[in-house]
Amino acid sequence: MADYTQPDVVPKRVRFFDGQFLQEQDFIDEQRFHLDRERRQSRLLRLTGVTAGLTVASDAERRITVTAGMAVDALGRHLVLAADTTVQLDEDFADQQGIEVHLAYGESAKDMTPDGAPGGAGARRWDESPRIVVVAPDGTTTVVPDDASPELDDHTVLLARLAVANGQVVVDLTAAQRSTLSVAGALGIGTTAPGSDLEIGDYGPQDRHLTFKVAGGDQHRSGIQLWAGTESANEGYSLEYDRRPVEGQGLHVRTHGPDDPEDGTTRLFVDPGGDVGIGTTTPDNHGEWDRVLDLAGAARSKLSVRTATVAGHVAAHDTGVYGASPGMVVGTASVSPLTLVTGRAARLSVTATGHVGIGTTAPQVTGGWGRVVDVVGAGRTKLSVRTASVDGRVSVNDLGASGVASMVVGTETATPLSFVTTGSSRFTIGADGNISMGSDPFTARWTTKHVDPDEPAEPHLRLNRDDTTSGGNRLFLELFQGHGNPLQADVYPSIRFHHSSRYWLRIEGRRDGVHIKTGNMASDAHADLWAGGVHAESLTIGSVTIGAAELAVLKRLAAGELNVTLFNVPKATYAFVSSDPIGGTTHEVWANPGSPHPWVLKPLV
């Protein structure tokens, strides 16, 4: 009786010769040998899975269609579905998930010989059409063809998983078992001597590409996965073009590790427009930039550019770094300068010690300054500080308005210039040229132009105070000399009036009063004082001081209104003119030069 079982190993093949008597087992053994070699090759190359077609889809309630195609099972058997096949699911599959669609090997004897044929009756062909077996988690099973066995073993090929709800079938093709290729040694494509596990090309003069193609839509991806360690460790990297919109459509470089999700974590992303994201799959391109590199992190992100000695950083941080507040940092972590360049020329440089140079990479720091900003230009250099309405500047010019080198601090706009300490204005030059001292509102101003229409149009300097609410003593101008050392000699503050080559005078303050002197500071010579009137408590001429009483007598004397009496001091008596005879209490008046009894003049009251 013929034996049709397929042994695990078929070491022999049939040898034919002329006149040989052949029996049915000889022809069976011939097929056994070729089936062994065909299936062994497919099994050893790990071709298990779908190799072509066999796509599952649903176009009606509780109905699926499996397209024609081919698969290889784990035993290396070829499962060829010759035509699209429809499978109708009965009511028992309703409202179930995780339903599996399998393709299984089938073998049945077909094509019986006609009755009365020579050799007797028997099947003339083996039909290897595969079976489609649909199995639900609760054990519900259906099979096509209907007369085929629904039994499954470990050698089937999974085509899809289904979910049925309200009669609608949702197909998950990602569960399909796809055919793979595995070889024990190196694999060469375009080369006969591969030196790596997979090597493509032999430096021939032609283009070569490793291409991965998937169907259109937004449900699939293609790429390369790089793994190390064990399968359970799930550690490695992948380079994938992902069409799933939930992941961001584009090229992904992902990491796969114990802390990553099943699909990995995208570390670098390139979108179809060419924008690049590091740490994000949605590079920020608000503003329609031609090209964007978006580096995103949770709280601290850094772009590092380094050599062996220089560590340059561009960083954004939510918590602060290098002593800076939360924000963005551009600079170096190494002890090296930071320079901004345009047109291949250094424009701004920050030294490793914090000094800033604009137009120079070597800021001038002579003098031991703690921090320096050095702005250098060829002939005209300006530091500009501006708003929409104020244009402030500090500038130097090798050839100023007068033709000589100069420095300018001020405004280009019609706005004042103020000097401030402790948050308060101390000195302000107004847009009209007036100078103000004190905080705003101004309490005193120096006027540096003609302001009185009744006077000749001569510019002059005037100290001006705004209206006040009270009168009395008000201080306008003070010359103050500090005197912290009690042993220091007196200092005499002066105001000098100088007409070049003609005269000079000064008003000098001393302990004993105000002096009018010559302008020569080395001289104590006094100068004349001219006045329409002098009002004083006393008047000193030489060493003689005349008070108010004496000045009153002189005034009456000059007016011819002075009346006097003679008074004898020792006798304490007055002399008077009288026609009465001498006697009683009357005294004679003696005129005796050199007498020790003087007379004095006393004005009449």
Side-chain angles (χ1 to χ4, degrees), residues 22-384:
L22 297 175
Q23 296 179 308
E24 62 179 337
Q25 190 65 46
D26 294 319
F27 292 98
I28 293 171
D29 290 343
E30 174 71 6
Q31 289 184 337
R32 279 178 168 176
F33 179 82
H34 291 291
L35 288 175
D36 177 77
R37 297 301 187 266
E38 173 193 274
R39 294 174 181 178
R40 184 178 302 277
Q41 184 75 355
S42 296
R43 186 170 64 249
L44 293 177
L45 290 177
R46 304 293 192 275
L47 296 178
T48 305
V50 177
T51 58
L54 301 178
T55 301
V56 180
S58 176
D59 58 359
E61 290 189 2
R62 298 198 315 277
R63 187 173 73 184
I64 62 172
T65 298
V66 180
T67 64
M70 174 182 169
V72 178
D73 68 11
L75 296 179
R77 297 175 296 190
H78 292 191
L79 313 180
V80 180
L81 187 65
D84 295 355
T85 304
T86 298
V87 181
Q88 186 66 47
L89 306 178
D90 58 34
E91 298 253 354
D92 292 338
F93 285 94
D95 299 324
Q96 293 203 57
Q97 297 182 352
I99 302 170
E100 294 184 344
V101 181
H102 292 265
L103 191 68
Y105 178 76
E107 183 183 65
S108 60
K110 295 290 182 71
D111 298 343
M112 299 298 294
T113 58
D115 292 339
R124 295 180 295 137
R125 300 287 187 272
W126 287 110
D127 185 354
E128 290 191 345
S129 297
R131 300 171 290 141
I132 299 174
V133 184
V134 182
V135 182
D138 65 356
T140 301
T141 304
T142 189
V143 63
V144 174
D146 296 338
D147 59 350
S149 171
E151 297 298 325
L152 296 177
D153 53 24
D154 294 335
H155 311 309
T156 64
V157 175
L158 181 63
L159 301 183
R161 285 194 175 92
L162 312 177
V164 181
N166 298 323
Q168 300 299 316
V169 180
V170 178
V171 180
D172 178 13
L173 294 177
T174 61
Q177 184 179 2
R178 301 295 178 183
S179 177
T180 60
L181 173 65
S182 175
V183 295
L187 177 62
I189 301 176
T191 176
T192 59
S196 302
D197 293 338
L198 172 62
E199 185 170 324
I200 301 175
D202 59 355
Y203 298 103
Q206 65 184 98
D207 297 333
R208 296 187 184 275
H209 299 90
L210 180 62
T211 304
F212 300 89
K213 294 182 178 180
V214 298
D218 58 0
Q219 299 179 2
H220 307 289
R221 51 185 167 162
S222 63
I224 300 174
Q225 293 184 339
L226 308 173
W227 299 94
T230 62
E231 183 177 357
S232 61
N234 190 36
E235 294 183 0
Y237 298 86
S238 64
L239 175 66
E240 294 181 327
Y241 172 44
D242 201 332
R243 283 296 301 265
R244 299 174 299 173
V246 68
E247 295 291 339
Q249 292 188 352
L251 181 66
H252 295 250
V253 177
R254 294 189 174 102
T255 60
H256 302 265
D259 297 329
D260 291 319
E262 182 179 356
D263 282 347
T265 300
T266 299
R267 304 302 183 181
L268 185 145
F269 174 78
V270 182
D271 72 10
D275 293 333
V276 178
I278 300 176
T280 177
T281 58
T282 55
D284 185 359
N285 195 2
H286 293 94
E288 299 181 357
W289 302 97
D290 292 338
R291 191 68 68 242
V292 165
L293 171 61
D294 188 4
L295 175 62
R300 293 163 59 90
S301 297
K302 180 180 73 173
L303 176 63
S304 182
V305 183
R306 298 185 299 156
T307 66
T309 57
V310 178
H313 293 164
V314 176
H317 49 93
D318 295 344
T319 57
V321 67
Y322 305 135
S325 299
M328 182 172 180
V329 168
V330 178
T332 62
S334 54
V335 183
S336 45
L338 169 67
T339 302
L340 301 183
V341 175
T342 62
R344 297 183 178 180
R347 307 303 185 185
L348 185 147
S349 182
V350 182
T351 68
T353 53
H355 302 303
V356 178
I358 300 176
T360 177
T361 59
Q364 188 180 81
V365 296
T366 56
W369 299 100
R371 190 69 70 241
V372 167
V373 177
D374 192 5
V375 183
V376 180
R380 294 163 55 88
T381 302
K382 179 180 73 173
L383 176 63
S384 181

Side-chain angles (χ1 to χ4, degrees), residues 556 561-565 574 602-605:
R556 291 170 63 186
E561 300 174 352
L562 181 63
N563 295 318
V564 299
T565 61
Y574 288 90
K602 284 194 174 184
L604 296 178
V605 179

